[in-house]
Structures are given as C-alpha cells and as structure tokens.
Amino acid sequence: MKRILVLVFGLLLGLFLGYILFWGVLTPKPAIIGFLPYWLIAKAKTDYNPHITTLTYFGLTIDTDGKILKLLNSQEEEPGWHTLRSKKVNPFLDSSSQNKNSLSLVIFNADEASISALLENPIENARNLINDVEPIMKKYGFSDLNIDIESVKPATTKSQLRFKQFLSEIKKGLNKNNLGTLTIEVSP
C-alpha cells in the first residue's frame, strides 16, 4: 500500500512539475502590442507596460529621399520627431525596458506623391533610411523597425517590385547593422 501511495504521489508530482516547467516553454506567451502615438503622449497617464510584450512608438515620418523628416519648415519640427527628441517618450520606453518588453519604432508615410517619389529609387532610399534610423534605434533601444506606408491607390506591378526592393534593402541593412527585426503594415 505504501508503494502505491509513493508511486501515485511521484506520478502526481511529476505531472505537476512537468506542467510548470515545460508547459510555459511549449506554449508561447501571446504577443500583445501597445501603440504609443506621439499625439497622445501628453494624455497618457496609465502605464500599460506590465500588460504588453511590445511597446510601439508611432512614429517618425519618412521623407521622399528615405530620410527621417525632421523639419516641417525652417522653424517647426515634425511632431513625431519633436516628441521623441523632447524626451517625453522616455518614461514609457524606460518602463517598457524594465518590464522586459520589446520596443518597436514605426516609420510611416501616407502621402501618395511622397510615397511615389520614395519608391522611384528604392535601394538608395532604403539605405538612407537605415543610415538615419540606426542611431535612433540604438539610442532608444528599439529592436524592431515597423514600416507603415499607407498608400490607398492600386499598386502597379512596377511599384510592387520597387516596394519589395525597398523592404528587402531595409532588411539587409537591419541585419548588417544588427538592429533587429523588420515588420510591415500591409495596406489593402
């Protein structure tokens, strides 16, 4: 009888430990992405970092030459750039790092003429982007670059090819400089 109790106890203990030790390894934690848009930072009062796995700063605007748009005119900074540089985003990035969350940086453009000009020279413009974002990603600890090109017009075969070249060159640059991953927002 004692042997049966020891056997049952051992079996239950083994199942319990196996569940605790291996279940978490075998079942991945769900990815929960929190977006932090620059226009809402002043209103953000609650720290949601304990409840997410990735904090995404939205974002910086890509110009027609692939570089980050920093000035709207000679006296006015682009708002996403200004907010990042003003350090208003730092408490959120610091909290995210303390919670071991990933940090993602959104680069976006939603102007059709700008997007068309950007894709006229996809490889050179992608290289310009990498050169511009590398110090930003390193300084703020971003490990993901999210490209959000929001074109709503139908894409020609030529523009599709140029977009693929643009993304491919960005990915090469991220890998070469050990900057992290590339994610893409897909437009309809």
Side-chain angles (χ1 to χ4, degrees), residues 131-149:
N131 288 335
D132 253 15
V133 299
E134 179 180 11
I136 296 167
M137 290 181 73
K138 287 180 176 178
K139 178 178 181 177
Y140 294 97
F142 293 110
S143 60
D144 175 70
L145 183 65
N146 181 280
I147 304 296
D148 185 8
I149 305 295

Side-chain angles (χ1 to χ4, degrees), residues 9-147:
F9 177 74
L11 182 62
L12 290 175
L13 182 62
L15 288 172
F16 177 72
L17 289 175
Y19 176 80
I20 289 174
L21 295 174
F22 297 109
W23 186 255
V25 174
L26 297 176
T27 38
K29 182 179 177 184
I32 302 170
I33 301 169
F35 283 87
L36 184 62
Y38 66 83
W39 60 90
L40 292 178
I41 286 182
K43 296 178 183 178
K45 304 296 180 220
T46 305
D47 183 5
Y48 291 102
N49 276 301
H51 310 289
I52 63 174
T53 56
T54 301
L55 179 66
T56 300
Y57 176 66
F58 190 99
L60 301 177
T61 302
I62 187 170
D63 208 349
T64 58
D65 60 359
K67 295 179 181 176
I68 300 300
L69 183 63
K70 296 173 181 164
L71 296 173
L72 296 177
N73 57 54
S74 63
Q75 297 181 0
E76 183 181 10
E77 284 188 315
E78 191 278 331
W81 174 250
H82 173 76
T83 303
L84 185 63
R85 285 181 12 95
S86 72
K87 300 183 181 178
K88 293 176 185 174
V89 73
N90 288 9
F92 300 98
L93 299 179
D94 293 344
S95 174
S96 194
S97 294
Q98 289 171 0
N99 282 281
K100 296 183 173 55
N101 295 334
S102 300
L103 294 175
S104 179
L105 174 63
V106 174
I107 304 295
F108 72 101
N109 192 317
D111 179 75
E112 293 294 344
S114 234
I115 293 167
S116 292
L118 174 70
L119 295 178
E120 283 299 314
N121 195 347
I123 293 173
E124 182 180 332
N125 292 341
R127 289 176 182 161
N128 288 341
L129 177 62
I130 290 297
N131 288 335
D132 253 15
V133 299
E134 179 180 11
I136 296 167
M137 290 181 73
K138 287 180 176 178
K139 178 178 181 177
Y140 294 97
F142 293 110
S143 60
D144 175 70
L145 183 65
N146 181 280
I147 304 296

